[in-house]
Amino acid sequence: MFTLHKKSCYGLEGVENNSIHAVVTDPPYGINLEDWDKIPDEKIWSDCFRVMKPGAFLLCFSSIKFQHVFTQQLINAGFIF
């Protein structure tokens, strides 16, 4: 049995720590095609890390142009590559 949470990663306050097996996210890429298309605040990654079980997986899409920015933010949040 599993639960699927379909919500913004900015809304993880109600999710229990160390309770998620995997996060799949397609955040804004930061290529500024629209007003909302800004690179996410680093808090999103620390929130994801907090709710994920040890050994859980994160699948995060990004633009190739800013992949290095996302990678550094994820490392800062505690993720291991």
Side-chain angles (χ1 to χ4, degrees):
M1 182 63 98
F2 65 90
T3 302
L4 179 64
H5 299 273
K6 182 181 176 186
K7 59 191 315 180
S8 168
C9 288
Y10 284 114
L12 297 177
E13 289 79 21
V15 179
E16 186 178 332
N17 291 355
N18 302 315
S19 65
I20 303 294
H21 291 277
V23 172
V24 178
T25 185
D26 188 16
Y29 291 178
I31 55 179
N32 297 319
L33 293 178
E34 301 286 338
D35 290 339
W36 54 264
D37 190 16
K38 307 281 190 259
I39 292 178
D41 186 289
E42 286 193 43
K43 183 181 184 314
I44 194 173
W45 309 121
S46 58
D47 283 349
C48 287
F49 191 78
R50 174 187 62 78
V51 301
M52 294 171 70
K53 291 183 174 200
F57 290 92
L58 173 78
L59 175 60
C60 174
F61 296 89
S62 72
S63 70
I64 196 72
K65 182 178 180 180
F66 292 111
Q67 182 179 357
H68 66 287
V69 175
F70 283 91
T71 301
Q72 188 60 58
Q73 287 182 348
L74 291 166
I75 290 169
N76 291 348
F79 287 91
I80 299 170
F81 284 76

